[in-house]
Amino acid sequence: MTLDPAYLEYPRRREGMDHDLYAPSPMPSRKPVHWPGGKQVAVTLLVNLEWFPITPDDKPFRAPGHMVTPYPDYRHYTAREYGTRVGFYRLLDAFAKAGVKATIAVNSVIAERYPSIIADILSGGHEIIAHSTDMNGTIAGGISEEEERALIAAARDTLAKAMGAAPRGWQSIARSQSFNTPRLLVEAGFDFMCDWVNDDLPYIASTEAGPIVSVPFNHELSDRQMIAVQQQSMDSVAQQIEDALAWLTAEAAQYGAGRVLPFTLTPYITGLPYRMDAFETLLGRLATDDAIWFATASELVDCWRPQAA
């Protein structure tokens, strides 16, 4: 089979990251930032609340966690649906018990299929950001600008109707973007995006339409990666979060500057009954730690941005 010559064409190829969105910025060279009350580490919880169509779309790519066996794939469909029917409510209960707020990245179709979930998120004081339309709403370099713009607008407008206000933040499916995504998000009115994983602090990306904040959520610190991919237990996940916290707390003290510990959760993974005890124990421990400021993504951006100017 002959490889398509276009596969080796890189129209934006240049030194560095093939873009001009941000400049190199080694962590020790940056201006220190500080969190409210002198807290050393901001813990930001991000829940991926997703709806998987029973027929996957493989263009531009099949989303992680999508259907596996031939149609109708009831096994995987109902396993994913467990998250919206059961698992997510266990997470909401855990957040309330610990007295913490989370950022919920929502497929906009959730607002149409399960409007009560949106009401429950808002009544709990949590933040909603856009997470495309559904798990077929992927973005990559092969998508046209017009199609991507429409996808972003559809997700924004559907959630805005349900919430009463447009979401400020965006996370792509699988954190995948095209070259156009940051600019299109700015044009659509988004303040921040949660797709890039190259830092422990927010930073500014510059686009032709204006700036947008990148809020990093390291994909290694996620239940999907640690449990679904690496086949670890929730006890192991909890230990790794504790290890990360210990390191970041020490680093914050060393440099006199705040750090961020992100943790991404998936309702149909963490929300299973045999994982909830370890998760609630972890959350309760973190909630009593004097070094920690629990912040939604918007709260993190609003605290960080004036200090980074």
Side-chain angles (χ1 to χ4, degrees):
M1 181 177 179
T2 304
L3 184 67
D4 184 346
Y7 186 81
L8 300 177
E9 293 177 3
Y10 303 94
R12 297 184 181 229
R13 176 50 52 89
R14 71 193 76 176
E15 183 179 359
M17 293 288 291
D18 295 351
H19 64 67
D20 299 316
L21 293 167
Y22 56 83
S25 179
M27 180 74 81
S29 68
R30 298 184 207 168
K31 177 183 176 182
V33 295
H34 305 283
W35 306 136
K39 303 294 186 179
Q40 293 166 305
V41 180
V43 173
T44 304
L45 303 172
L46 178 70
V47 179
N48 288 146
L49 190 58
E50 302 162 334
W51 183 73
F52 291 83
I54 199 168
T55 303
D57 190 344
D58 290 335
K59 294 182 180 180
F61 63 91
R62 183 177 301 202
H66 218 312
M67 303 302 103
V68 178
T69 59
Y71 176 87
D73 187 357
Y74 291 131
R75 172 195 166 194
H76 291 96
Y77 181 88
T78 56
R80 306 309 181 253
E81 191 181 31
Y82 185 93
T84 51
R85 294 169 64 92
V86 181
F88 183 62
Y89 284 92
R90 289 193 179 123
L91 295 184
L92 287 181
D93 288 345
F95 298 152
K97 188 180 297 185
V100 303
K101 306 303 179 188
T103 296
I104 319 296
V106 180
N107 284 166
S108 64
V109 74
I110 294 285
E112 299 172 324
R113 298 180 69 91
Y114 312 105
S116 63
I117 292 182
I118 302 299
D120 291 335
I121 293 170
L122 297 177
S123 66
H126 304 289
E127 172 186 34
I128 292 176
I129 66 172
H131 191 39
S132 193
T133 50
D134 59 43
M135 295 303 284
N136 278 349
T138 51
I139 295 172
I143 189 173
S144 72
E145 182 171 335
E146 293 72 22
E147 184 180 356
E148 183 176 359
R149 180 181 285 109
L151 181 73
I152 292 170
R156 177 201 62 197
D157 294 347
T158 300
L159 289 173
K161 182 178 179 181
M163 296 164 53
R168 293 178 56 188
W170 172 275
Q171 187 180 52
S172 301
I173 304 301
R175 299 180 177 86
S176 177
Q177 294 190 359
S178 74
F179 281 116
N180 297 317
T181 305
R183 171 177 56 82
L184 293 178
L185 290 175
V186 174
E187 291 176 357
F190 287 94
D191 295 333
F192 63 89
M193 57 185 182
C194 304
D195 293 337
W196 297 346
V197 297
N198 58 341
D199 217 298
D200 281 338
L201 289 171
Y203 63 91
I204 295 288
S206 300
T207 80
E208 298 92 332
I212 187 168
V213 177
S214 171
V215 181
F217 281 89
N218 191 305
H219 83 286
E220 293 284 341
L221 294 175
S222 72
D223 58 359
R224 187 190 300 275
Q225 180 69 16
M226 290 189 276
I227 294 175
V229 177
Q230 298 174 354
Q231 296 291 292
Q232 299 182 47
S233 69
M234 182 54 74
D235 290 320
S236 176
V237 171
Q239 183 60 60
Q240 290 176 78
I241 295 296
E242 293 275 14
D243 291 345
L245 175 62
W247 185 273
L248 291 169
T249 301
E251 192 172 85
Q254 176 185 354
Y255 289 100
R259 293 291 185 260
V260 179
L261 173 58
F263 187 17
T264 302
L265 300 159
T266 310
Y268 68 83
I269 296 176
T270 293
L272 289 164
Y274 57 90
R275 294 183 178 131
M276 284 303 302
D277 182 67
F279 175 69
E280 285 199 349
T281 299
L282 169 67
L283 206 57
R285 218 291 296 164
L286 297 180
T288 61
D289 193 316
D290 291 337
I292 288 177
W293 171 46
F294 271 98
T296 64
S298 288
E299 290 170 339
L300 184 66
V301 169
D302 290 343
C303 182
W304 169 84
R305 193 161 191 170
Q307 300 183 65

